[in-house]
Amino acid sequence: MRAQGEKLGQTIVLLLIAGAGALAIARGMTLTFLAIRLQRDFGLGPATIGMLIGAGPLLGACASPFAGTLSDRIGRRIVLTVALAFAGLGLIGLGLAQSVAAFALAHIVSSVAAAVYEPVARALMSDAAPERLRLRMFSWRYLVINAGWAVGPMIGIAIGANSAAPFIIAGVVHFAFSAAIFAIVPAVLLGSAGARAASQLPGLRRLGAALRDRRLVFYLGGGILLLAVYGQWSVTLSQYVTANLEDGVKVFAWLVTTNATVVVLATAPARILIEKIGPMKAMVAGCLLFLGGEVGFAFATSATMLIGFMVLFTVGEVLVVPAEYVLVDKIASDDNRGAYFGAHSLASVGNFLGPLLGGLALGAFGGQGMFMLFAVLAAGSAVLFALGHASPPPAALDGRAAGHGGEVAEGAMHRMGRPVFA
């Protein structure tokens, strides 16, 4: 039975990694061209396009925490299959929309469904993978997602970015992955005790219990600042480069290529480093690399310097992304993992704040002011993660150390005192 369980867990992890790559390709070959379609087909201006495109992820950030707690209560499989199905419908709707209202509705449906899928998929991966392998699994997943987004736009252009075909194909990919999840993932993956605990506590109370964990709150604050720095870096950097450098569009294309290349090449070495020094030290190192990259951008005087500092910036990225997931996973337990990853997904608000704050700083203080602001945010993120790591688990009503949502965490302090991966 144990061997069968391990084999099933491996199958689920491989399915989630392969599916993440397929979804990244599907979304890369469609979502990359949303702004172009809104401008060309509907004649919208930049401000309206930005508001419309930003509305979906913002609503998704509000919905995803509840999806995580819901998956603790009714199971990961049903939440993932429904979310993927609606994401597929939304993408097809984007391709077929003939009005701004229809386009906006489809975009919101797709974005919210994608936001629901993401934390639940992470929680399921942690459910299925043994603790010693979770960092490796998160690193692989991060790698295939970036690879998918790198090739997706090229596939979209080859199919016909001006047509509905890429959107329809992307929708079918989502439907196929949804069916695979339903067929392969069991209805209940948790142990019976964990499943009973999850079914007894209402979702809002589980979410509230998660947010009473000071460690998670600090990690959430740090995650918001981090995503403000790197989540939408192309939006602010592209404006600066194209306005201030000769052949700025060409230089920006080289920066995007550099970012994608370094992600592919550095992910495996970064994982080895995280295993050696631990996720917290890796997180601080990544934040410092972000800081150095942003300061470098501020004072770079040539395309070569910008590309060099983009390498530094991207190495920080490949350190912080898997390290952050591991830190959240360490403070969660089997029966509330969805609630913790769901609550932490509120950090995606940083994807909205980054372009907003960066744009305001760029307009008011110029490129140097914008980059120095992001450097300060990177430093602040390191401080918040360090505070979270140093905070004790929440206390139960009887005064004992409670690990997660009121559960007594036997051995929790012992586990926190040793490296995650031996």
Side-chain angles (χ1 to χ4, degrees):
M1 291 294 291
R2 182 176 180 179
Q4 290 179 345
E6 290 179 354
K7 186 175 181 180
L8 175 61
Q10 292 173 0
T11 301
I12 292 172
V13 168
L14 291 175
L15 173 65
L16 290 172
I17 292 174
L23 294 187
I25 293 173
R27 299 180 76 79
M29 70 185 192
T30 53
L31 302 186
T32 304
F33 308 104
L34 286 187
I36 296 174
R37 180 149 192 259
L38 285 169
Q39 184 181 43
R40 186 197 65 227
D41 295 347
F42 302 115
L44 300 183
T48 306
I49 291 173
M51 290 178 60
L52 196 155
I53 292 179
L58 191 59
L59 291 173
C62 298
S64 54
F66 301 100
T69 58
L70 183 65
S71 75
D72 282 337
R73 188 172 178 82
I74 68 175
R76 317 281 190 228
R77 181 177 71 172
I78 186 63
V79 176
L80 288 175
T81 52
V82 172
L84 287 168
F86 273 96
L89 287 173
L91 287 172
I92 292 174
L94 286 172
L96 300 178
Q98 298 299 313
S99 68
V100 174
F103 189 97
L105 177 61
H107 176 56
I108 289 173
V109 169
S110 174
S111 298
V112 171
V116 166
Y117 160 81
E118 188 61 32
V120 180
R122 294 176 200 162
L124 178 59
M125 183 171 285
S126 288
D127 292 340
E131 182 179 352
R132 69 183 186 278
L133 297 178
R134 286 174 190 163
L135 172 60
R136 185 172 302 176
M137 300 301 103
F138 284 131
S139 295
W140 285 350
R141 184 173 184 268
Y142 172 66
L143 175 61
V144 300
I145 288 173
N146 277 276
W149 275 98
V151 303
M154 294 183 288
I155 295 175
I157 292 173
I159 295 173
N162 295 331
S163 69
F167 293 90
I168 295 174
I169 294 172
V172 172
V173 169
H174 281 71
F175 294 153
F177 189 29
S178 177
I181 290 284
F182 189 81
I184 294 175
V185 177
V188 178
L189 195 62
L190 297 173
S192 58
R196 285 195 300 270
S199 65
Q200 291 171 0
L201 192 60
L204 286 177
R205 287 183 58 192
R206 297 182 64 75
L207 180 59
L211 291 174
R212 284 195 295 272
D213 190 334
R214 292 179 59 193
R215 300 168 299 174
L216 181 62
V217 173
F218 280 123
Y219 289 169
L220 173 58
I224 291 173
L225 297 186
L226 271 184
L227 276 175
V229 172
Y230 80 86
Q232 298 285 336
W233 63 264
S234 61
V235 176
T236 49
L237 189 58
S238 62
Q239 296 176 65
Y240 171 77
V241 170
T242 55
N244 291 275
L245 291 181
E246 186 177 355
D247 293 329
V249 174
K250 185 177 180 180
V251 172
F252 179 69
W254 275 107
L255 291 174
V256 173
T257 300
T258 299
N259 178 262
T261 302
V262 174
V263 166
V264 172
L265 295 178
T267 294
R271 173 181 57 78
I272 294 171
L273 179 63
I274 296 170
E275 289 177 341
K276 183 176 181 179
I277 68 176
M280 188 60 233
K281 291 181 180 178
M283 175 62 69
V284 173
C287 291
L288 293 177
L289 289 172
F290 277 146
L291 188 154
E294 294 291 350
V295 173
F297 290 151
F299 295 100
T301 57
S302 67
T304 301
M305 292 180 68
L306 284 171
I307 291 172
F309 287 116
M310 176 54 74
V311 172
L312 194 70
F313 181 92
T314 308
V315 173
E317 181 182 343
V318 298
L319 284 173
V320 302
V321 172
E324 185 176 9
Y325 294 159
V326 173
L327 286 172
V328 175
D329 177 75
K330 278 180 56 114
I331 63 173
S333 63
D334 289 342
D335 63 303
N336 67 10
R337 188 169 287 118
Y340 270 62
F341 276 105
H344 183 261
S345 67
L346 282 168
S348 59
V349 171
N351 283 323
F352 175 77
L353 292 178
L356 175 63
L357 296 177
L360 292 173
L362 181 62
F365 307 109
Q368 287 191 350
M370 177 183 72
F371 293 130
M372 295 306 291
L373 169 64
F374 286 138
V376 171
L377 295 183
S381 178
V383 171
L384 289 176
F385 274 102
L387 289 171
H389 189 67
S391 297
L397 293 178
D398 61 3
R400 292 177 295 172
H404 319 286
E407 297 288 327
V408 177
E410 295 185 15
M413 296 304 293
H414 174 71
R415 288 197 301 272
M416 291 179 63
R418 62 172 175 81
V420 186
F421 304 102

